[in-house]
Amino acid sequence: MRFDTIIRGGTVATAADTFACDIGIRGGKIAALGDHLGEAGDIVDASGKLVLPGGIDSHVHLSQPSAPGIVMADDFESGTRAAAFGGNTMVLPFALQQKGESLRQVVKDYHAKADGNCYVDVSFHLIIADPSDRVLGQELPALVNDGYTSFKVFMTYDGLALSDLEMLNVMSVARETGALVMVHAENYDAIRFLTDRLERAGNTAPQFHVVSRPIPVEREATHRAISLAELVDVPVMIVHVSNREAMDEIRRAQRKGLKVYGETCPQYLVLTARDLEGLNMEGAKYVCSPPPRDAASQEACWEGLQQKVFSLFSSDHCPFRYDDPHGKLTPRGKTSFRWVPNGIPGVETRLPILFSEGVGKGRIGLNDFVALTATNHAKTYGLYPRKGTIAVGSDADIAIWDGGREVTIAQTLMHHGTDYTPYEGLRVTGWPVSTMVRGRFVVRDGRLVGAKGGGAYVSRDKSPLAAPSGRVPHV
Ligand code: DUC
Ligand code: ZN
Ligand code: ZN
């Protein structure tokens, strides 16, 4: 039996096992696992390397409209290129609806941005900002049927925040259609109240962004989102959790048997509020929501990963250039943190940070790493077992890692569209050296060899996690 490619001599790890074997690839799929697999057009020597499922980053923002005058730093080309260099074979960006827009049109627009421009595979979550009768009654159910099987709702932000009633209506459609709801949980009114007070007191520097969004703001909204989901009897994913109190809300719900899931991100493991204290607006580089907090919150997020309260580790890559009037240094941002665009880059550094800080420092095992960065994303968002694992019949989406390579993270190493990395100077051990999407290398031995357009859009099944418990009759 002849293969297109054989990856030979590596140590393969999945979410369940670690084993030595060769991988035979044919037609973009994994066709055989074993040894002495025979002939192939391309024999890849992976001896001394780890061979892992390619990372799936299920929380990234690309080419998303922002406030007037603000431009996101990554489009689908640069964002998916950076993703590939970071060991990822798939990303799930958001298709953002703005008030008054047709959701169907929004999806068309995002396809136009993505089609032919991606280096790794992509699929879209929907952001619902305007849950009109037409959106709820027609567009959303039709889009779920068409493979857009997850949507995000925001509890804060001008133009995005939904009322509790609107959240309930969206959740109800999710229940009826089998879609999975993702929630950005922060209390909008509390943030506005605190922001007004801080500004009146002249506390407008980036560091006050953290003060305007303290832990109770996130804890309360997390509790409320879970309660609303419980009322409707719909599973819910609380994204980008930053601290113990919000995590405890999720854990309590899980212990009650509710289908509540959690996600955390690198910024909550290795950054703190102190990073926002830089002089001359340097702190703007770290403005994201929820904000990084303190060492105790970092510990809590590790605990959440270790105890499986969080099933997903995503980047929340939301890139803006720093030294740019259309980015972090927008003139208005100098008048108040309120106007500094929220979000930081991280699609290229997510995996090395968790590998080094987690696996390397003995906080999590290698198989947990694979689960948190690939397999669980595929399972959560209707992609498994096509994606997210190394198994016969799965897409050959594979990252080859040098587990011992020491790297100091630096902007000069990055391939994203921003002009900085918030992780500058962080020393990590372990780095992805090659990334293959459906059997074709995108990055090989650290060099870009894939073509723009090699990444494809992937329509998703419904999430197996999204089924309602059935214990509450649907009203
Ligand atoms: N929420 C996100 O999910 N990403 C970036 C900014 C935000 O508030
Ligand atoms: Zn969010
Ligand atoms: Zn996000």
Side-chain angles (χ1 to χ4, degrees):
M1 198 191 316
R2 196 180 158 80
F3 298 98
D4 301 331
T5 306
I6 293 175
I7 301 176
R8 181 174 284 168
T11 300
V12 177
T14 67
D17 299 299
T18 305
F19 46 93
C21 88
D22 301 345
I23 301 175
I25 296 163
R26 195 184 310 112
K29 302 264 184 201
I30 297 172
L33 299 173
D35 51 14
H36 308 298
L37 290 181
E39 296 300 309
D42 187 7
I43 304 269
V44 180
D45 178 13
S47 47
K49 302 279 197 310
L50 292 171
V51 181
L52 310 180
I56 300 174
D57 195 340
S58 62
H59 188 153
V60 307
H61 303 264
L62 302 175
S63 282
Q64 209 176 276
S66 212
I70 303 294
V71 180
M72 194 159 267
D74 274 316
D75 57 15
F76 281 82
E77 179 178 349
S78 62
T80 58
R81 187 179 58 214
F85 275 99
N88 300 283
T89 50
M90 183 163 189
V91 296
L92 280 76
F94 295 86
L96 169 84
Q97 180 202 31
Q98 294 180 293
K99 290 244 187 275
E101 287 182 341
S102 144
L103 208 46
R104 180 62 77 175
Q105 186 59 43
V106 166
V107 167
K108 277 196 188 133
D109 293 346
Y110 273 85
H111 274 289
K113 296 179 200 203
D115 291 352
N117 289 320
C118 296
Y119 285 92
V120 302
D121 285 352
V122 296
S123 192
F124 301 122
H125 308 291
L126 310 174
I127 290 177
I128 314 298
D130 192 356
S132 63
D133 287 348
R134 181 183 159 80
V135 166
L136 294 171
Q138 294 166 38
E139 292 196 319
L140 208 39
L143 285 163
V144 174
N145 270 336
D146 288 350
Y148 305 89
T149 54
S150 48
F151 25 89
K152 182 175 177 189
V153 292
F154 284 77
M155 299 173 81
T156 188
Y157 286 131
D158 298 340
L160 289 178
L162 300 191
S163 68
D164 290 353
L165 179 61
E166 290 172 320
M167 295 253 297
L168 287 162
N169 280 327
V170 173
M171 286 175 170
S172 179
V173 174
R175 180 184 157 118
E176 282 159 18
T177 58
L180 187 62
V181 180
M182 310 158 75
V183 181
H184 178 124
E186 289 185 299
N187 182 312
Y188 183 40
D189 283 336
I191 293 168
R192 286 195 288 180
F193 168 81
L194 291 166
T195 300
D196 288 345
R197 294 241 160 165
L198 286 161
E199 285 181 343
R200 266 188 262 135
N203 294 322
T204 56
Q207 71 198 74
F208 294 102
H209 171 76
V210 183
V211 187
S212 75
R213 308 172 102 98
I215 286 173
V217 161
E218 187 181 340
R219 182 197 66 221
E220 184 279 331
T222 303
H223 180 87
R224 184 155 38 99
I226 292 170
S227 303
L228 299 180
E230 184 180 4
L231 284 178
V232 179
D233 184 24
V234 73
V236 70
M237 168 66 69
I238 309 294
V239 295
H240 48 49
V241 179
S242 74
N243 70 87
R244 180 172 300 281
E245 294 188 24
M247 180 185 66
D248 280 346
E249 295 290 342
I250 298 169
R251 182 166 22 209
R252 190 175 312 121
Q254 290 172 345
R255 285 187 178 152
K256 272 173 70 178
L258 300 177
K259 292 188 177 187
V260 175
Y261 310 105
E263 172 204 76
T264 193
C265 315
Q267 49 271 39
Y268 308 119
L269 300 182
V270 299
L271 300 179
T272 69
R274 297 290 302 272
D275 290 301
L276 282 89
E277 292 175 11
L279 293 173
N280 300 324
M281 294 295 291
E282 281 280 320
K285 288 180 177 175
Y286 305 90
V287 167
C288 62
S289 296
R293 302 193 186 276
D294 58 10
S297 293
Q298 292 178 339
E299 254 335 289
C301 289
W302 279 115
E303 198 180 302
L305 292 170
Q306 289 162 334
Q307 298 180 2
K308 304 192 189 328
V309 181
F310 302 140
S311 47
L312 299 183
F313 185 75
S314 310
S315 69
D316 196 3
H317 179 78
C318 187
F320 300 96
R321 285 171 54 81
Y322 171 66
D323 192 7
D324 191 322
H326 303 295
K328 294 285 189 179
L329 292 190
T330 170
R332 280 182 105 187
K334 295 175 189 165
T335 69
S336 169
F337 63 85
R338 181 200 291 262
W339 306 111
V340 174
N342 274 228
I344 61 176
V347 74
E348 198 169 349
T349 44
R350 169 184 76 123
L351 295 175
I353 289 173
L354 189 68
F355 186 89
S356 183
E357 292 289 320
V359 182
K361 295 191 176 173
R363 289 170 163 129
I364 60 170
L366 180 60
N367 309 109
D368 298 327
F369 171 82
V370 173
L372 287 164
T373 57
T375 315
N376 291 352
H377 298 254
K379 288 182 173 174
T380 300
Y381 293 116
L383 292 160
Y384 188 83
R386 177 173 170 192
K387 304 278 188 191
T389 192
I390 292 180
V392 172
S394 294
D395 283 356
D397 290 351
I398 292 169
I400 302 177
W401 282 68
D402 181 343
R405 181 174 298 186
E406 295 184 5
V407 175
T408 302
I409 294 177
Q411 168 62 13
T412 50
L413 300 178
M414 297 289 111
H415 300 83
H416 53 207
T418 47
D419 55 354
Y420 78 101
T421 164
Y423 307 107
E424 185 81 28
L426 182 70
R427 296 164 72 97
V428 294
T429 303
W431 199 260
V433 291
S434 300
T435 307
M436 167 186 279
V437 176
R438 283 175 285 105
R440 292 178 180 224
F441 280 108
V442 181
V443 174
R444 188 161 188 173
D445 298 324
R447 283 188 314 111
L448 186 68
V449 295
K452 188 177 87 163
Y457 168 76
V458 180
S459 177
R460 288 180 288 123
D461 297 334
K462 289 178 185 172
S463 167
L465 278 57
S469 74
R471 58 191 193 174
V472 179
H474 192 36
V475 285

